[in-house]
Amino acid sequence: MSDISQAQIERAIQTTAATVLKNEHYFSDLDGLAGDGDFGTSLATGFRVIQNDWETIDKADIGTMLLKLSMMVSKHVGGSSGPIWGTGFMRAAMVSKGKTSVTLDELAAMLGAAIEGIQARGGAQLGDKTLLDALIPVHETLTRDAAGGAADLGATLKDAADAADTAIDATRGLEARRGRASQVGERSANTPDPGIVAIAVILQDWCTEYGVARTPKAPELTRETA
Amino acid sequence: MSDISQAQIERAIQTTAATVLKNEHYFSDLDGLAGDGDFGTSLATGFRVIQNDWETIDKADIGTMLLKLSMMVSKHVGGSSGPIWGTGFMRAAMVSKGKTSVTLDELAAMLGAAIEGIQARGGAQLGDKTLLDALIPVHETLTRDAAGGAADLGATLKDAADAADTAIDATRGLEARRGRASQVGERSANTPDPGIVAIAVILQDWCTEYGVARTPKAPELTRETA
Amino acid sequence: MKKFVNDPAQFVPEFMKGVALANPDLLDFEPEFQLIKRKDAPNNSRVSVVQGSGSGHEPAHVMAVGPGMLDGACQGAVFAAPPVDACYETIKRLASDAGVLVLVNNYQGDRMAWDTAVELAEAEGIKVKQFHINDDVAVKDSLYTVGRRGVAGNFFVIKAVGAAAAKGASLDELLALAEKVNNNVRTMGVALTSCIPPAKGTTIFELGDDEMEVGVGIHGEPGRRRDKIKPADAITDELFDAVAQDIPFNSGDRIALMINGLGGTPLSELYVLYARAHARAEQAGYKVVRNYVGEYCTSLEMAGASLTILKLDSELEALLAAPAEVAVRIF
Amino acid sequence: MKKFVNDPAQFVPEFMKGVALANPDLLDFEPEFQLIKRKDAPNNSRVSVVQGSGSGHEPAHVMAVGPGMLDGACQGAVFAAPPVDACYETIKRLASDAGVLVLVNNYQGDRMAWDTAVELAEAEGIKVKQFHINDDVAVKDSLYTVGRRGVAGNFFVIKAVGAAAAKGASLDELLALAEKVNNNVRTMGVALTSCIPPAKGTTIFELGDDEMEVGVGIHGEPGRRRDKIKPADAITDELFDAVAQDIPFNSGDRIALMINGLGGTPLSELYVLYARAHARAEQAGYKVVRNYVGEYCTSLEMAGASLTILKLDSELEALLAAPAEVAVRIF
Ligand SMILES: Nc1ncnc2c1ncn2[C@@H]1O[C@H](COP(=O)(O)OP(=O)(O)O)[C@@H](O)[C@H]1O
Ligand SMILES: Nc1ncnc2c1ncn2[C@@H]1O[C@H](COP(=O)(O)OP(=O)(O)O)[C@@H](O)[C@H]1O
Ligand SMILES: [Mg+2]
Ligand SMILES: [Mg+2]
Ligand SMILES: [Mg+2]
Ligand SMILES: [Mg+2]
């Protein structure tokens, strides 16, 4: 399978910004169920800056670009999302320094590094009902597909979106064990985690953007794309 | 026409108490239109005490009884209603001292004294859109009937109720010139004055209590009796 | 009703009891007359400054009792002037050889109650005078009515008079001082919601989701007009202009600027209003010497605010800066 | 939205500007990092005490900056911990030879931001320590989660630590003191309404007209349960029992008792709650040495209140009684 170009990654980031801004209020409403209703606004604040300053961002290579994104997040994004997404971009940047294209293997390594960084920062494990419950399965599909599982990038994208989508319903019943939601005990059960939903929505929109046909499963996605 | 006994006056006062308590929220709502929404509660506070302590009130004669009522009002009723109704009872008491029955002439004199006292206390004149705009016409009917206008007390009651009823619509369009409502300028126009309505409602209920047939005119009364 | 209340009829005595329990060394509470007074008042070497008014405006009026402020205050039910007896007993208990000054907010109910009480007290040889506070510019004054309402400017009259009384000013001097403050202070407010008096159990007036009442009274009385809610700066500008043009204030004036919350509006929003009001004052050439942002004269849980400007001179500046203590504290 | 707001995105910087304009001699404001600091800080002869948290809890946290309290505080958007950069710059600007103590309310967002900022600051050789405040008893603590939330008890940690820092206590002594206060303070709150974050424009949760959220978080997070609104005394009893049984407090304890308003509840109602809480404390044999009734840690315009008890000893009593000054004032 052919490498993933920096242009494709840039397009994915711009798509993500559009998705986050479009869903600002929806993500905040989801965060209101067991949290404090600011998730959408916090993310949107950061991606609005990224979108507005897009042209001026140093894109010498993938790593440089991701480092700049990490700095923008650290400057503008508050709440848990700031440190989490800022750390994620930062760690991904460190393993893509100097590269202007990456193999699927290298992309998986970037996500793996981001996951490790987020875990180190916030102490969450798989099953704690945080966005890691979406990112970790997605990382597995990337590694599997890199090992020859997928025909092309489209198929890989679909596998990733499937994994994130599945995570929504798989974690819905759990009590959160990290993040603000973990401080409300059983009141967090039977509400979807907004971070997991956000990852799934973003990947679904990536599929659409790259012309990959896929029917979403979780109600949060069908509502969203509806 | 036969004299009015103390028993009849006591019955009128008890009827008044029942009317005021029954209309507490309605009177307060009317007061909310151009005022502060406490008229019903203020009056009810006083008449609730009068009702509860009724047996223990010294009723040696009409004057003594009215003086006691005046003192109860001064102790328990706040807002403008306290000084107004307290002064009214007090002045009526002074001209009925020692009496256990009064002629219609004397009853008119009692109301006249109450009106003078209220005017002295609050400085309101006819047309200032206060309960005096009901009491003064009522006083006129009493004097007229006392001078041979009415066949019996029932007819007199009806004349009095008519006068108060008429005052509601006659003053509705005016801007208040005394009381809290006078401090809202034209915003007090086209709202009924709660004090005037209260007098009319009380007289209407006296008619009912004494078996005098009468069809109320003003919407505030028809609503009320509805 | 989204309120912390037991029996609505007991709401006022219950919160007054709380005020007394929270200030055991400072205050005495007499439930029979809903009266709170300084433990150390009256003091025959100085004039007693008292007030009495309807409840629902906390910290006005009973929570404004303390050294350098009021010597005592009685309360009526929510929004109802106190009964005549309560006013009379307040004067009586705080009667001082130096006299008693009653600061009355200009409402007919309060005036009639205090007029009666003062007549009774004078008949007993008590030296007592009254002053009517009327700083609300919302409704144009008129000779034919009761005149303007007394609202948040009340705080400045109490603060100045209380400080002067503590320094031993005479009854006539205090009366003149009250008039001076009242002549130099103006206020206008705006409501975003109506409050709900506990005993009434329903709102006093109905506002649409996007409506505000400009010039509202602190009892929910109508003001100048109903309007659509505007951005905070536009609202502040309207309040500022109405107040500033009334006296009028002039460039070079030294002023005290107050943004008073009506009860349901959080501090953060009050400071948004203050930022604009302060900027407008500077543009107008006023020097903001003192500022007050918080709740001074409220209307239960009404969402809204009022803006007050007081023109200062060296005498008033010193009196406002003088130490004072009231039932409500931060530390 | 019944709020005084211009552009919701500018709500926080605008009210911070108001705070700065109202305290020109006391405070500096840096809009870029939504940071407010004492003009006279840092001072190398004493530890700087700082905080940083989401907005919407005013007067916490930026309005708690002043002599004897915080040296500085940065704010995030409403209910959002400050960005990492703001936390880092706060430490940097208040770096003192004696060190910097960061008082962090125990939320994951705040902790992650400060952890990152502290790492960066330490890498630059700045002496800095953190302490996590977690006084909310609403949700049972658990090893497997982030632990209890930090709410109104925050005030007591700031007051005690601020007073000790002013007296020149060392960084380690202040850390120990913060832990002592935190170990002896407990809080629980109740909401009668949800608030509306300006940027969200809608409520965080939906409550029926007759419902309350018992144990609510100061960001509108769920608490122990949804229930029908009960009489004020019954609500106070539930808060009191939950708090009193947690440490537990014992007969003979000397305590500070706080009734904190969540933003939309008027003072009068808070004193109704205080009256009951004080009576319950006396029944339990506690001696109420100090009391606090008002707004200390709010949730925008949420109608509701929290009850806090702090167990005192002579050291804490002296520190609470020490003079202090903050941006919000009465006089
Ligand atoms: N420790 C953590 N590790 C990874 N993700 C986390 C952690 N804590 C929270 N999250 C994610 O962040 C989301 C909430 O973000 P946000 O609303 O910005 O945080 P806050 O609770 O500070 O308001 C949650 O839905 C969850 O997916
Ligand atoms: N000066 C006055 N003289 C006679 N009646 C008055 C006067 N002022 C007010 N009233 C009457 O009292 C009524 C209002 O009573 P109330 O609500 O107790 O007064 P307040 O305005 O103090 O709340 C008015 O409807 C009016 O009829
Ligand atoms: Mg959140
Ligand atoms: Mg009224
Ligand atoms: Mg009234
Ligand atoms: Mg948050």
Side-chain angles (χ1 to χ4, degrees), chain A residues 31 36 38-39 42 78-81 84 118 122-124 129-132 178-180 193-196, chain D residues 79 108-109 112:
Chain A
D31 188 34
D36 60 346
D38 64 345
F39 176 60
S42 291
S80 299
S81 295
I84 291 163
I118 292 170
K129 201 174 185 178
T130 73
L131 48 71
L132 287 170
R178 277 290 176 276
R180 183 184 308 278
D193 176 73
I196 294 173
Chain D
F79 297 164
Q108 182 117 43
M112 290 191 291

Side-chain angles (χ1 to χ4, degrees), chain B residues 48 50 150 156:
Chain B
R48 195 169 286 115
I50 290 172
T156 301

Side-chain angles (χ1 to χ4, degrees), chain A residues 24-25 28-29 32-38 41-42 71 73-80 82-84 121-123 176-180 182-187, chain D residues 32-33 78-85 106-109 112-113 115-116 119 139 144-149 199-200 202 204 213 219-226:
Chain A
E24 172 172 353
H25 288 288
S28 284
D29 288 342
L33 299 177
D36 60 346
D38 64 345
T41 311
S42 291
M71 289 166 66
V73 169
S74 299
K75 172 90 189 261
H76 297 285
V77 181
S80 299
I84 291 163
R121 179 84 288 155
R177 302 209 298 185
R178 277 290 176 276
R180 183 184 308 278
S182 73
Q183 298 179 303
V184 307
E186 69 273 5
R187 295 288 291 272
Chain D
E32 184 178 6
F33 301 110
V78 169
F79 297 164
V84 169
D85 287 12
N106 190 44
Y107 298 97
Q108 182 117 43
M112 290 191 291
D115 284 345
T116 315
E119 287 167 15
V139 179
Y144 308 104
T145 72
V146 183
R148 287 195 314 239
R149 302 178 291 218
K200 189 170 188 294
T202 55
I204 293 176
E213 177 71 31
H219 310 86
E221 309 99 312
R224 288 186 172 183
R225 67 172 199 287
R226 219 32 95 76

Side-chain angles (χ1 to χ4, degrees), chain C residues 2 4 192 208 269 296 330, chain D residues 2 4 192 208 269 296 330:
Chain C
K2 296 289 192 172
F4 294 113
L192 302 185
E269 292 178 44
Y296 291 89
I330 293 173
Chain D
K2 296 289 191 171
F4 294 113
L192 303 184
E269 292 178 43
Y296 291 87
I330 293 173

